[in-house]
Amino acid sequence: MKLEERISANIKNGKIPPLPSTFQGVDKERISQVLAKIDRSRPDIIDVVFALLDDVLPSFFTKTANQFKFCAGASTAHIACHVGIIQRSSGKLDREGRDYWLKPLWEIGALEKVYFSPKENKFLPGHPTAKSPNSAYRIDEGFLKILKASPSSWQSILHAWSSSSAIRRRLSLQAKLAQRTRESVDSKHLRLIQDSQEHYVPNFLPGFEVIYIDDADGDRISDEESKKLERAGLNIALDDSMPDILLWNSTTDSVWVIEAVCSDGEVDWHKVENLTKLAKRCGKSSIGFTTTYPDWRTAATRQSSMKNLAVDTFLWIRTDGAKQFRVLPPVDFEK
């Protein structure tokens, strides 16, 4: 059962109680007042902060065995469901819009990036693996103090907290803690991205150069990558799907997408449709797609249940890397 289906079912059967007006003594009016002072008082952001204050609902990470509350750390999908389904009685927020309702908070350190480690059953600082379903967010302790402060004191606390020097120190500390986690977590996905770039691309995509790699979980596009995208005539919008690797052939003016899959994220029909629109919008001559897996076992496990590889895309297995495979539709022998 999908997360949104499980949440909707739990609302109907009473496992998720009616939404209270406050979490941890903080209501949406206070959130809006605080966010207005830092030019971030928008409906989606207000509701995101309210969701991450939720100390009533158990964590949506099912492997925590109800040890943690929602506020201990929630993924982008968890937050999208809390806001869209629980708070608004509608559909979950579009994940691709996270730059509108999460980035404005993490870029000033109001949110901490955390990673739920099933092995250790705890939340660790940072996002060591890009696109991991275990990547999450929680409210920074200093920002939480502002939200919970008395009416007479919160503005002075916010003034000190939001100074440029305080933001730099906060982000620097968060980065150091995240690096420690990155060094301790076995990043299989990152290694597959690197191997796809170093082994698949030279052998099967001659003439293509890498212009974007999604190997981190912070700003989607670095300054260097922005220059490469501009040179390639590509303009990635917030609602465009972000591939693990994006390549461009300057001779043919065509682009290619690689998705490296250890847990999820194959090139499915939705990704093909979304990124084909991007290529056409930017006037590219063509676009191609490849899903890469670390080994046949991972590919078989994923496709035995998902069966979501898009037709007319390619498949590469790292442990069988001398060849690639093409996903074709069924053959009609009667024609």
Side-chain angles (χ1 to χ4, degrees), residues 209 211 226-234 248 250 284:
E209 63 173 301
I211 58 174
S226 293
K227 294 178 182 177
K228 290 182 179 180
L229 288 166
E230 183 178 358
R231 183 167 58 86
L234 289 165
W248 173 60
S250 60
K284 302 299 106 178

Side-chain angles (χ1 to χ4, degrees), residues 214-327:
D214 191 2
D215 60 354
D217 208 352
D219 288 341
R220 299 204 313 176
I221 303 172
S222 68
D223 291 340
E224 181 180 354
E225 288 168 338
S226 293
K227 294 178 182 177
K228 290 182 179 180
L229 288 166
E230 183 178 358
R231 183 167 58 86
L234 289 165
N235 178 27
I236 298 180
L238 286 173
D239 57 350
D240 291 325
S241 297
M242 298 300 291
D244 286 331
I245 306 176
L246 182 62
L247 305 102
W248 173 60
N249 188 312
S250 60
T251 302
T252 62
D253 197 24
S254 57
V255 292
W256 203 278
V257 167
I258 297 176
E259 293 290 0
V261 178
C262 291
S263 58
D264 60 10
E266 288 89 351
V267 175
D268 57 16
W269 70 269
H270 174 75
K271 197 160 293 183
V272 168
E273 182 181 50
N274 188 285
L275 288 168
T276 298
K277 288 180 181 178
L278 164 65
K280 290 181 177 179
R281 186 182 74 231
C282 296
K284 302 299 106 178
S285 63
S286 64
I287 184 170
F289 301 86
T290 300
T291 298
T292 67
Y293 288 105
D295 49 53
W296 278 109
R297 181 177 181 178
T298 303
T301 299
R302 284 290 299 167
Q303 291 310 308
S304 65
S305 59
M306 298 300 295
K307 299 178 178 63
N308 62 343
L309 291 175
V311 170
D312 288 328
T313 65
F314 289 85
L315 176 68
W316 182 73
I317 310 296
R318 181 173 56 191
T319 55
D320 195 8
K323 51 186 177 289
Q324 68 173 341
F325 305 87
R326 189 168 187 175
V327 182

Side-chain angles (χ1 to χ4, degrees), residues 24-153:
Q24 303 188 52
V26 180
D27 60 15
K28 289 190 178 183
E29 182 178 357
R30 165 57 65 84
I31 296 170
S32 178
Q33 290 172 345
V34 172
L35 291 176
K37 290 291 183 180
I38 52 176
D39 193 27
R40 283 162 172 79
S41 187
R42 296 187 285 279
D44 285 351
I45 300 179
I46 292 169
D47 289 352
V48 163
V49 173
F50 191 65
L52 289 171
L53 285 166
D54 190 339
D55 59 345
V56 175
L57 287 180
S59 170
F60 288 175
F61 285 105
T62 56
K63 294 183 179 180
T64 64
N66 294 335
Q67 179 180 348
F68 299 101
K69 297 299 184 182
F70 191 91
C71 59
S75 72
T76 300
H78 297 167
I79 298 168
C81 286
H82 195 292
V83 172
I85 301 174
I86 299 176
Q87 295 187 46
R88 301 179 179 177
S89 301
S90 183
K92 73 174 185 178
L93 296 184
D94 183 359
R95 185 190 185 284
E96 294 298 331
R98 67 172 191 160
D99 279 11
Y100 290 116
W101 38 270
L102 282 176
K103 183 179 178 181
L105 296 171
W106 88 52
E107 67 184 359
I108 60 171
L111 294 186
E112 292 180 272
K113 295 179 181 180
V114 292
Y115 171 82
F116 177 68
S117 171
K119 182 178 180 180
E120 301 179 64
N121 194 32
K122 66 180 182 181
F123 289 93
L124 304 173
H127 287 176
T129 304
K131 299 182 180 180
S132 169
N134 292 327
S135 293
Y137 301 87
R138 68 183 175 205
I139 295 178
D140 167 71
E141 184 178 347
F143 191 64
L144 181 59
K145 289 180 180 178
I146 296 166
L147 294 171
K148 298 171 72 173
S150 67
S152 61
S153 63

